[in-house]
Amino acid sequence: MCKKEKYEAELQEFTAFVKRYNHDQIYPHTVECAFEALSDWSMFHTISEVKSWFLSKKENSSMVVENIALKDVKGRLIDDKTGDVYHKSRDFFVIHGIRVSSDTRERGRGWDQPIVEQVGYDGGLLGLIRKRFFGIPHYLCEAKEEPGNYGKVQISPALQATFANLKQSHGGRKPRFSDLFINKDSNEAIKVLFDSWLAEDGGRLHLKRNRGIMIEVPENYEIDIPNDNFIWLSLYQIKQLMKEDAWINPHIRGILAHV
């Protein structure tokens, strides 16, 4: 029995077993995702190979992050009256102050603090792509560098972008795979598995939320992988990598929380 046949047979058996516990309000793919998470069905890499790939990405990261004075940050404007810090495009984020009144927190009374606010409160897109290879689901992830990441590199969804990035307010290229998510409703080949606003850290980010989306494309749908920072992982592998020290970023966790 080939791997595809084994997967289909065991999935059918698992589905029949849990059917009595299945409720109408779950996502249609929840049962299969539960099955996927039990064993490693990857058609590409063992978990050991994935770990070696990721460690190599961390070790060979070219990103250098240096702490500098906020007033010396290039491309930022400081408002003379308020002290707020803006991007020169007046897009992306602004840093300003807030005064909090509360008698329910640890301090027992209010406090002042700086907070990061996204211009326009329009959030961003966090997109995970699911695709079957020989009938077995895989998820496209990226070893992505971010300057504030613990460990510098973390495994992220295929798309992770603010709407300012999507509008190319930074003057750079459009984020990869963004068209799949922006045009998902007009593309008959795309099946939307999850689409919802997800909350972000309200202690540091002011009214911040992101749109978490998981789509599935047909097995014969061509996905152009631009470089080896991207990798197709099984759901089992993603869950196993959550055991490591901050390897999986919060955006993948947020999208997959629904299953």
Side-chain angles (χ1 to χ4, degrees), residues 147-187:
N149 276 352
Y150 181 84
K152 198 176 297 183
V153 181
Q154 293 179 354
I155 298 174
S156 73
L159 175 64
Q160 182 176 304
T162 65
F163 283 101
N165 292 126
L166 297 170
K167 291 184 295 185
Q168 297 170 273
S169 297
H170 46 48
R173 63 168 174 79
K174 196 172 184 180
R176 294 185 176 96
F177 308 114
S178 56
D179 287 342
L180 283 175
F181 294 91
I182 293 172
N183 301 321
K184 66 185 188 309
D185 295 329
S186 59
N187 188 337

Side-chain angles (χ1 to χ4, degrees), residues 11-60:
L11 173 60
Q12 185 175 6
E13 182 180 351
F14 179 82
T15 302
F17 174 75
V18 300
K19 188 174 182 180
R20 54 186 153 166
Y21 305 109
N22 193 358
H23 299 289
D24 292 339
Q25 298 304 312
I26 67 170
Y27 289 89
H29 53 282
T30 293
V31 173
E32 183 175 16
C33 286
F35 174 73
E36 292 174 57
L38 296 175
S39 301
D40 194 356
W41 292 96
S42 173
M43 299 296 295
F44 299 109
H45 318 281
T46 66
I47 188 67
S48 295
E49 290 169 342
V50 172
K51 289 181 178 180
S52 296
W53 163 82
F54 181 71
L55 289 172
S56 174
K57 291 300 175 185
K58 290 183 67 174
E59 291 166 4
N60 294 297

Side-chain angles (χ1 to χ4, degrees), residues 92-105:
F92 295 101
F93 297 93
V94 58
I95 301 172
H96 63 83
I98 57 172
R99 178 159 293 161
V100 185
S101 299
S102 173
D103 58 5
T104 61
R105 290 290 301 274

Side-chain angles (χ1 to χ4, degrees), residues 64-80:
V64 177
V65 182
E66 176 187 358
N67 289 327
I68 63 174
L70 189 59
K71 64 181 179 62
D72 294 332
V73 175
K74 295 178 181 178
R76 298 283 165 175
L77 307 173
I78 300 178
D79 188 289
D80 292 335

